[in-house]
Amino acid sequence: MNEGIHGERTASEPQDRVTELIEQQTAISEVLRAIASSPHDLQPIFDAILDSATRLCRADIGSLRLSEESGLRRVASRGDPLLVSQPWLPVLEEKGSLLSRLATSRLPTHIPDFTALGGGPHVRTGLIVPLLKDKR
């Protein structure tokens, strides 16, 4: 929340919250529309999820990965292809890797400094949000 020195809310805070809620509802609508129009083709659904997520987070890059026996498989990506395909990303997505462990934790995780974890120099912060189906 935007609070002033004395703990008072700013005049624009309610409007900011309304704008944020509208953006979230729009994102949900876009994903549901993709599901309804492509129930047997998952790619448009993955694309809609990632488009909405990167827009809501105001992220420069993003990727959506599926959890499989061998690790995490990238099914969609957004942003500068050179950044998305950095050589350190495949290392993070192997089974048993940091990213794989975070995904299987079932908890959203914010990583404020990827470089402290040995990540690449072009991606500073990350948000890992596991999407679950039937608690998996």
Side-chain angles (χ1 to χ4, degrees):
M1 290 187 183
N2 297 333
E3 295 189 10
I5 294 173
H6 302 288
E8 300 162 356
R9 294 182 177 180
T10 64
S12 66
E13 185 177 312
Q15 182 58 43
D16 292 346
R17 183 70 180 135
V18 168
T19 301
E20 182 181 338
L21 290 172
I22 291 170
E23 289 174 352
Q24 290 173 3
Q25 288 179 337
T26 301
I28 291 168
S29 295
E30 290 170 357
V31 171
L32 292 175
R33 198 170 17 260
I35 292 169
S37 62
S38 302
H40 303 293
D41 182 8
L42 295 177
Q43 193 59 53
I45 298 167
F46 295 151
D47 291 338
I49 291 169
L50 187 57
D51 287 341
S52 295
T54 54
R55 187 176 58 253
L56 287 173
C57 293
R58 291 163 179 75
D60 295 328
I61 66 171
S63 67
L64 180 67
R65 294 174 170 90
L66 292 182
S67 179
E68 297 176 339
E69 288 293 321
S70 61
L72 300 173
R73 178 173 57 96
R74 189 179 334 195
V75 294
S77 60
R78 295 291 176 273
D80 184 339
L82 294 175
L83 293 178
V84 174
S85 64
Q86 287 292 309
W88 58 274
L89 280 173
V91 172
L92 289 177
E93 66 191 35
E94 292 171 356
K95 190 169 186 163
S97 68
L98 170 66
L99 188 55
S100 180
R101 288 192 314 270
L102 290 173
T104 58
S105 75
R106 300 181 182 153
L107 299 171
T109 305
H110 175 235
I111 300 172
D113 188 0
F114 260 117
T115 58
L117 300 173
H122 300 290
V123 178
R124 180 65 177 197
T125 188
L127 179 63
I128 289 80
V129 182
L131 302 175
L132 305 176
K133 178 182 178 187
D134 301 327
K135 297 183 182 181
R136 292 189 358 228

